[in-house]
Amino acid sequence: MLTKQYRKRRFGRFVLPAITAAFLAYFGYHSVHGEFGLKATEKFLQQKAERQQKLADLQHRRKALERQVSALSDGSIQKDMLDEEARAQLNMSRPDEIVIFH
């Protein structure tokens, strides 16, 4: 009967914990700094807030433009509204007038 005897290696018992620690470190790092990690989530939330503010501004501007269009296209155009639009589109005024664009 033939038996083999192996000498116990000291670093052999640290292989599995070292591999486990490496996997945990890898996944831990990417859970914070990865494409869908915590820092990316903060950036996405910041972009969401900025874009919601921009959306609110655009909706406000759209409502103002819709009010202006409804005033022009209701069948009876007011003379001052017509005059204002014509001056803005043609960029003309009389010599004795001061035009302030905002």
Side-chain angles (χ1 to χ4, degrees):
M1 179 153 121
L2 183 66
T3 62
K4 292 185 182 181
Q5 294 180 353
Y6 293 104
R7 194 174 78 172
K8 288 191 175 183
R9 297 179 186 160
R10 291 184 184 250
F11 74 91
R13 69 181 111 169
F14 297 117
V15 172
L16 185 61
I19 292 172
T20 304
F23 276 115
L24 288 175
Y26 176 79
F27 288 113
Y29 175 81
H30 286 287
S31 69
V32 175
H33 300 286
E35 185 178 352
F36 299 105
L38 296 175
K39 290 189 178 184
T41 303
E42 290 175 6
K43 185 178 176 183
F44 289 146
L45 291 176
Q46 183 182 10
Q47 285 180 347
K48 180 183 174 185
E50 291 171 1
R51 290 179 181 169
Q52 283 179 339
Q53 179 62 37
K54 187 175 179 180
L55 176 64
D57 293 342
L58 289 174
Q59 286 175 340
H60 178 70
R61 184 167 184 251
R62 180 180 177 173
K63 286 182 183 179
L65 288 173
E66 285 176 352
R67 281 194 307 268
Q68 192 175 16
V69 166
S70 69
L72 287 173
S73 64
D74 66 351
S76 61
I77 297 176
Q78 300 171 357
K79 287 187 178 186
D80 61 338
M81 201 60 175
L82 177 64
D83 187 49
E84 177 185 339
E85 278 299 313
R87 289 173 191 269
Q89 294 296 325
L90 299 174
N91 202 15
M92 297 177 66
S93 65
R94 287 178 264 175
D96 61 338
E97 291 181 337
I98 298 173
V99 178
I100 301 172
F101 292 105
H102 57 85

